[in-house]
Amino acid sequence: YFTRFGWEVVNLTKCSDFFGKDIDFPSSVGFLLENPAFLDIYSGEENLVLLESIEKKPDREHIRNLLEEVGLSFAGNKKYKKYSLGMKQRLGIAAAIMDNPDIVVLDEPTNDLDVYTLEIRQQYLESFKGAVIVVSHDRYFLDKVADHLLVLENNEIKEYNGIVSDY
């Protein structure tokens, strides 16, 4: 279980230590909090290099490709503290998907996002082969990316197969 500056990668291949019983669990989960945080004195690329170096030797080409994929290749050496809210969210997206996780968990993924970043996020989710868990109040976004819902209502979880508009 590794905490990484506002997002987490969970490695629970030995689930008995975590849950107290043996169960199958994906080897990795990318997690993006509503407001990701990184080190202000480093650029986006430097932050991702630092994160990747926790578990393996950083692959700068892979990191640069991720930054291009989320629309941050233009940022160059710009320090994180100078990033706009949308840029910070895009860096959070890059961090969450950096290790090609089996599951991506997104907490309020549309808050404070510009249209371009919303499109990047939606395109990624549409092409993602793993499972996506989204916690959101944005019904429009959920209609675009979710076809199975678990809705918390009156302290109960209700399951629904379909989109939010039909719920």
Side-chain angles (χ1 to χ4, degrees):
Y1 180 80
F2 302 98
T3 300
R4 293 185 172 186
F5 311 110
W7 70 286
E8 297 176 7
V9 166
V10 180
N11 188 342
L12 295 176
T13 53
K14 189 175 180 188
C15 293
S16 60
D17 290 345
F18 195 77
F19 294 106
K21 60 183 176 180
D22 287 327
I23 58 172
D24 290 330
F25 202 83
S27 62
S28 65
V29 177
F31 188 82
L32 177 63
L33 295 173
E34 182 176 355
N35 297 308
F38 295 89
L39 299 175
D40 284 342
I41 61 171
Y42 295 118
S43 69
E45 181 178 338
E46 291 167 329
N47 269 288
L48 294 182
V49 165
L50 181 62
L51 290 176
E52 193 167 55
S53 69
I54 292 171
E55 292 181 349
K56 61 185 176 186
K57 183 178 178 186
D59 179 349
R60 286 191 179 267
E61 183 177 342
H62 172 67
I63 289 170
R64 287 184 188 115
N65 288 338
L66 271 175
L67 291 172
E68 185 173 331
E69 188 177 329
V70 299
L72 283 177
S73 57
F74 72 91
N77 292 325
K78 187 175 190 173
K79 302 300 181 203
Y80 179 76
K81 67 181 170 188
K82 300 285 187 177
Y83 277 25
S84 68
L85 286 174
M87 290 172 70
K88 289 177 179 181
Q89 285 288 340
R90 284 186 246 161
L91 187 61
I93 295 168
I97 66 174
M98 184 164 55
D99 292 329
N100 298 314
D102 299 310
I103 297 174
V104 173
V105 180
L106 303 173
D107 175 31
E108 295 295 349
T110 59
N111 284 2
D112 300 319
L113 293 187
D114 53 77
V115 173
Y116 179 71
T117 306
L118 285 169
E119 289 172 4
I120 289 171
R121 186 162 289 169
Q122 185 175 328
Q123 288 170 2
Y124 174 76
L125 293 176
E126 288 170 355
S127 67
F128 183 63
K129 301 281 189 253
V132 179
I133 300 170
V134 178
V135 177
S136 181
H137 292 90
D138 186 338
R139 298 172 69 87
Y140 177 79
F141 179 75
L142 289 172
D143 272 350
K144 295 286 188 186
V145 301
D147 60 5
H148 187 92
L149 308 173
L150 296 174
V151 180
L152 180 61
E153 214 173 72
N154 299 322
N155 294 323
E156 291 183 33
I157 296 177
K158 297 179 180 179
E159 186 172 0
Y160 179 77
N161 284 315
I163 62 173
V164 173
S165 294
D166 295 337
Y167 178 72

